[in-house]
Each structure stands twice: as structure tokens, then as C-alpha cells.
Amino acid sequence: MADYAIYLDTSKCTGCKGCQVACKCWNQLPSPLGKNVNKPTGSYQSPMDLNGDTRLIVTFKETDTDQKWGVNWSIGRRSCMHCTNAGCVAVCSSGALYKDPNTGFVSVDESKCVGCEYCASACPFDVPRFHGSQNKINKCTACMDRISNGKTPSINEDKGETETQFNKPACVHTCPAGALDFGPRSEMIAKAHERVDFLKIRELNPATQASVYGENELDGLHVITVLKYPVDTYGLPANPSVNPVTNLLDWAKPVTGLAAAATVLGLGVSFLMGIGYKRGDLHYDPQKHETIDRNTGEVVWRADGSVDSHDKAASKNKKGGE
Amino acid sequence: MTTYIKRHTLQTRLTHGISVVCILLLTISGLFVFVPALNNMLPSEVTFAMRMGHRVIGVLLVLAVMISAITAPKGVGHLFKNYFAKWDKDDKTFMKRFLPYMLMPKKVHMPDQHEVKSGQRVADGVLFLAGFMICGSGVVLMLGTAPFSLAISADVMIIMRLLHDIAFLMLAVFGIAHIFLGAGLFQPYRRMRKVMFGNGLISESDALYHWGHWAREELDKGEKVVEIDDEKK
């Protein structure tokens, strides 16, 4: 099975937050229900950041239009980008985070998560969040439970026929504006480029910075985004990268295992070579300032330096000092 | 009657004993938490409990060593004086012969040593350094994650994680060697276990074998010398 990807066209997104709600519903993630629990921020974005119960938020950013009215409203999405070179998977101590071999998505096996939070520090997008009461990490799983459970028939409106498709992630399934899509990654990339070309030619000034985000970043993301405005407008890093230390961590466990095994092996040889070792029974006479071997009565060390076979006398082995 | 020399005080032995228990528990809990193959053998609730235990035991270890050091500043001074003592000819010879001695103890013989062998200075120095690294990085990692969740940058956390892993590697290699020698598994080092885990006394013969210069100095002074009737013992 080829790599799959979630497609987002920010130029089509209406900011309805249907995807945010669908994510919470499907994954049974509660929202605070108390009155005025979410403090007013002056933004439509709510909550303002991801948290232990929120894997996906729709982001809103208003910028000036240099006119007397209106704003440029860039609406985006903040959630896991499902990197090919996923720092979170590299540092995951328990193997809870994994790259699904069938789709390329980065998913979570919560039963394995120990809540160490190292993934949070390795993510260039600052996505994984700690769910305090469950002591687990919480991040988008690409609805692996949906998409891995077979295909469902759907109607292809363009062709006017019924075809079977992989189940879509909840956010994609619910998007009323057609801003989200799901399919083979190569198809999503082609679709994104087509849309960017369209935006540059038909809708916007060709000099606009509409672009495709996720094609090559971190060896390819599995969320392909059509950005209508410059990348920083959406709070995304222009050149995301995994901290190189993260890759070193990949080596730490096998190197430690090998080093420990080599040490045990070396000491095992040493142990075998030491079997049968015999040592002299040494006694030091403080009055005479000399050391004797009680077994032989021989002086093996004298303070004046006239005898100094202590090191050999200490060992009573055949090939040793005797 | 057998002549013994007092080598380790009760406080030293207690601190060492607490450290040994803590390090063993930290190693077991650390391996089960951080090695996926081991981790997956247990329910995540158990590994979570081990992770929390890892932190508590880590704090106990740091506290035990710090309290011991604070209450015995002279002992700490003495320790560091020995560790940073200038190397003499015998010290250098000891190091040169160390590997051949470990592999051919019946053929290679070691020179007299002072209170802390040059090999001990190197090996214990690595253990001290790794201990500081693993404790320091562990404290930062603990504070940067729940329930403390201090605002420590992601880069710092990743570097601390790497230091934690490097320190564990150093501790694994030198710790195994330390156990091999200290527990007396190596034939020429037999009976050494009793010095730290027993009453802190070392027999005159063993002391002369391992630390010849030191043993003669102590036997000359007589302050730490104890005569014990082996039959009564």
C-alpha cells in the first residue's frame, strides 16, 4: 500500500471548526463545559493551543489589508504533520509511537505509552501534548482505527459512479467545504500543486506566495497543505528540522547494549583466566619494616630497598613470582 | 589472631549500600521503561509506576549521597585528595599492566599502590562523572515533564536525554567492571566484597596485596589496625 496523506486547502477552509469537533467526537475527547471556562482571547481560535484533550485546532490569524476595511484572515490547521523523518518516533522510549507501514502516518499505541513526554521535546511542530489524568501522550493518530478498518463504498460525483475508498479520518470525513481530503500521498501532492497553480493564475497575483507545504519538509509530511498566504502566516516553520541529537539517541540503546555485552564478555575471559589463582599470605613487621610470606618465611619486601619482590611474592602461581 | 586494617567507615559503607540498592532499582526500572521490548512485556500501568518509581528512587539516591557528603566534609576532602593525588611510578606501572593483568593474572604482577589505586582513580572518576551526569540530567528531565512541567526548552530536554543515555552507557561499562572486581568475582580480588559490605575491615595480607604502600603506612601508624581472634570470630 502506498503512502497516504491528509490534504488541506487553506484557501477553501471556512474556519467552521467541523474538523476540530469531529476529531473530539470520534476520539471521545471532552471539552470544558463550564461557563466562561475558556478565557476570552479576542480570537476565533479556541482553544489557543493543543492540549491533552485536543488533537486538532483550527487556527485563525488576522492581518491588515492596508485598506480602511476588512482583514486578511488566514485560517489553518494545527495538528500532527505525520513526518516521514519523525523525531517523536525516534525518541519514543516505549515504542508507543510508530510509523504505520501501510500508510506512513505516525500513530500511537496508547497501551504502550508511559508518558515520558520525550516526543513533545523532539517534535519540530510542538504537537504532542501530555494528558495528565491518563498519563499518556495525546496526538493525532490519523484515525488509524477508521482507515485501517477496510473500505467503504462512496459515490464519485465527478465520474457519477460508486467506488470503494479507504475510510477517511474523522476530520476529513466531516469537512463541508471540501478543504480536507484524504488519499494516496502522490495524488494529494499533485492535487495541491494544481490548486496552487490555480490560485496563482486565477485568483491571486502570480507573485503571491501560495505554496505547497509538506511535500519535501522532513523527508515528506503526510499532511499536504495548500498555503494561500506565506508560511509564517500559519505559524508553521519554514524549514522544519529534527534536532540532530534526536538521531544520536537512536544509537544510544544499541551502542550501550553492545558495550555492556562486550564488557561482560571481556570480564568473562578475565574470570576464566583467574580461576585457580593463588596468593601468598603476607605479613608486615612494623618493627623491622619488612614484609614476609608466612607460608615460606621468605622476606619479600624491605624498606631499605634491598628486597622488593613483593609484587611477585604476592602471587603464588606456577608461572608467577615464585 | 589476624591483623585487620579499617578501610571503610560505617557511613561510607551505608552510603555505598544505599547507592547500590538505588542504582540496581534505577537500572531495572530504567530498562523496563526505556527499552520497548521490556516495556511491552508489562501493562502500561506497571511501567508507569516504574517510571514514577525511577524518579523517586533517583531523588533518594541524590539525597543520600548529598546528605552523606554534607555530614562528612573531611571524608569528602580525603576522598578527593586521594583521587587527585599526583601519579608516581607505581601508579603508571599499574595502569600499563592493568589489561594484561586482567587477562593473565597468573603471569602479570602489579606494583604496590597507595590508598586509592591509579586504576581505581580512573574507573571511579568515570563513575563519579557519569553519576553527576545522570543525576543532573535526570533532575532536569523530571522537572521538564509532568507533574512539574517547567518551561524547559525542547532542545535542552533532548540534550539532557542524550546526556542521560551517555551517562548510562558509561555506568553500564564501568559499573559492570566495578561489580566484577568489587564483588570479588575476579579470583585475585576475592574477599573484597566483605570490605565494603561487611565490617569495613581488610585483612593485612589482602591490604598488602592490593594497596601495599597504604597498608604499610597504616600498619606503621597502627591507628586503624585491629587484631581479631579468628577462632572467636
Side-chain angles (χ1 to χ4, degrees):
Chain A
M1 188 170 148
D3 271 12
Y4 272 65
I6 293 170
Y7 167 91
L8 166 65
D9 182 348
T10 62
S11 70
K12 283 188 178 175
C13 180
T14 60
C16 72
K17 299 191 186 178
C19 52
Q20 189 172 320
V21 174
C23 176
K24 278 190 170 275
C25 290
W26 179 256
N27 294 299
Q28 298 181 321
L29 299 167
S31 292
L33 298 175
K35 188 179 179 183
N36 292 334
V37 172
N38 286 331
K39 302 290 179 199
T41 60
S43 171
Y44 274 109
Q45 189 171 318
S46 178
M48 290 305 286
D49 199 1
L50 302 169
N51 59 52
D53 282 323
T54 308
R55 297 176 181 177
L56 186 164
I57 55 170
V58 176
T59 59
F60 294 78
K61 186 172 181 183
E62 300 90 7
T63 49
D64 258 335
T65 59
D66 297 327
Q67 295 174 344
K68 288 182 181 176
W69 58 86
V71 291
N72 280 331
W73 213 356
S74 49
I75 303 169
R77 163 192 164 111
R78 178 152 160 65
S79 187
C80 178
M81 298 299 232
H82 300 281
C83 318
T84 298
N85 177 13
C88 59
V89 175
V91 298
C92 182
S93 60
S94 64
L97 284 162
Y98 66 97
K99 283 182 66 64
D100 180 59
N102 293 322
T103 61
F105 285 117
V106 176
S107 200
V108 190
D109 181 346
E110 288 187 354
S111 68
K112 292 180 180 176
C113 179
V114 296
C116 68
E117 298 179 65
Y118 292 149
C119 52
S121 53
C123 175
F125 298 101
D126 186 27
V127 164
R129 288 291 183 274
F130 185 65
H131 193 297
S133 62
Q134 292 176 5
N135 298 309
K136 307 276 185 196
I137 212 70
N138 190 33
K139 71 169 271 304
C140 169
T141 61
C143 286
M144 203 58 70
D145 47 350
R146 291 171 66 98
I147 62 176
S148 63
N149 277 296
K151 299 173 178 179
T152 49
S154 64
I155 298 169
N156 185 325
E157 291 176 358
D158 295 337
K159 296 178 184 173
E161 57 190 39
T162 302
E163 60 184 21
T164 53
Q165 291 184 339
F166 272 94
N167 290 336
K168 295 175 179 176
C171 57
V172 178
H173 187 78
T174 203
C175 181
L180 286 166
D181 198 0
F182 173 79
R185 187 168 177 271
S186 54
E187 286 182 23
M188 296 299 104
I189 290 170
K191 184 176 176 178
H193 279 293
E194 195 179 327
R195 180 64 182 168
V196 166
D197 291 343
F198 174 82
L199 288 172
K200 285 185 173 177
I201 296 166
R202 292 288 185 84
E203 285 198 351
L204 301 167
N205 186 320
T208 187
Q209 292 184 44
S211 61
V212 177
Y213 189 85
E215 183 178 2
N216 301 311
E217 286 79 2
L218 293 164
D219 299 338
L221 308 180
H222 289 76
V223 174
I224 304 297
T225 311
V226 173
L227 300 178
K228 185 176 176 181
Y229 300 113
V231 63
D232 58 334
T233 315
Y234 298 91
L236 292 167
N239 296 301
S241 63
V242 175
N243 190 323
V245 175
T246 303
N247 297 323
L248 287 177
L249 286 170
D250 256 354
W251 291 88
K253 285 175 194 168
V255 168
T256 304
L258 281 174
T263 306
V264 170
L265 190 68
L267 294 177
V269 172
S270 180
F271 174 78
L272 293 174
M273 297 304 288
I275 290 175
Y277 183 91
K278 291 172 188 167
R279 200 195 295 166
D281 183 11
L282 303 178
H283 167 67
Y284 176 69
D285 187 336
Q287 270 74 46
K288 295 179 181 173
H289 297 291
E290 61 184 27
T291 301
I292 62 163
D293 182 345
R294 279 185 172 129
N295 293 332
T296 61
E298 180 190 358
V299 176
V300 295
W301 182 89
R302 195 167 279 150
D304 59 14
S306 58
V307 182
D308 188 6
S309 58
H310 168 271
D311 60 339
K312 291 181 181 175
S315 169
K316 305 293 287 181
N317 300 285
K318 282 181 181 177
K319 294 176 181 175
E322 273 196 323
Chain B
M1 297 288 279
T2 304
T3 304
Y4 290 89
I5 304 172
K6 288 180 189 170
R7 180 146 175 97
H8 298 305
T9 64
L10 178 61
Q11 182 170 346
T12 304
R13 283 177 279 139
L14 274 176
T15 308
H16 183 265
I18 292 169
S19 301
V20 167
V21 173
C22 287
I23 289 168
L24 284 176
L25 292 174
L26 284 167
T27 303
I28 293 166
S29 57
L31 287 174
F32 271 90
V33 170
F34 296 115
V35 176
L38 294 173
N39 180 300
N40 297 343
M41 290 165 59
L42 302 171
S44 63
E45 291 76 15
V46 177
T47 44
F48 175 75
M50 289 180 106
R51 191 168 76 81
M52 288 298 116
H54 192 79
R55 295 169 161 207
V56 173
I57 298 161
V59 169
L60 284 177
L61 173 63
V62 172
L63 284 177
V65 173
M66 282 178 67
I67 290 169
S68 184
I70 291 167
T71 54
K74 281 186 183 174
V76 175
H78 183 73
L79 189 76
F80 278 94
K81 189 181 164 190
N82 276 327
Y83 277 100
F84 290 104
K86 193 176 177 183
W87 284 36
D88 62 17
K89 189 185 165 193
D90 284 341
D91 290 326
K92 291 170 189 169
T93 306
F94 183 96
M95 283 309 295
K96 279 180 197 165
R97 292 183 188 173
F98 185 72
L99 273 180
Y101 170 72
M102 291 295 288
L103 295 172
M104 298 176 289
K106 294 169 190 171
K107 292 182 180 174
V108 180
H109 309 291
M110 289 302 213
D112 282 341
Q113 290 288 284
H114 296 280
E115 186 171 355
V116 181
K117 297 175 185 178
S118 52
Q120 273 182 289
R121 291 181 222 173
V122 173
D124 291 0
V126 173
L127 289 176
F128 273 126
L129 178 67
F132 283 124
M133 277 168 64
I134 208 162
C135 288
S137 57
V139 168
V140 176
L141 289 171
M142 184 175 72
L143 295 177
T145 51
F148 301 101
S149 300
L150 299 187
I152 299 170
S153 81
D155 286 345
V156 171
M157 290 291 282
I158 285 287
I159 289 168
M160 288 300 132
R161 172 79 198 276
L162 182 67
L163 286 180
H164 211 67
D165 284 2
I166 292 171
F168 181 68
L169 190 157
M170 292 157 71
L171 284 173
V173 172
F174 283 84
I176 291 169
H178 184 83
I179 292 167
F180 180 67
L181 296 175
L185 300 176
F186 187 47
Q187 281 285 297
Y189 277 60
R190 61 186 180 273
R191 293 192 295 272
M192 290 297 283
R193 176 180 54 82
K194 292 179 181 174
V195 184
M196 194 52 101
F197 287 99
N199 53 12
L201 302 179
I202 185 165
S203 72
E204 175 191 25
S205 181
D206 284 348
L208 284 163
Y209 176 79
H210 289 291
W211 301 280
H213 293 308
W214 170 76
R216 288 193 294 271
E217 280 170 26
E218 293 300 336
L219 291 166
D220 278 337
K221 284 192 279 186
E223 291 167 6
K224 294 182 179 175
V225 176
V226 181
E227 298 282 346
I228 294 179
D229 188 339
D230 287 334
E231 285 181 8
K232 282 184 182 176
K233 186 182 169 190

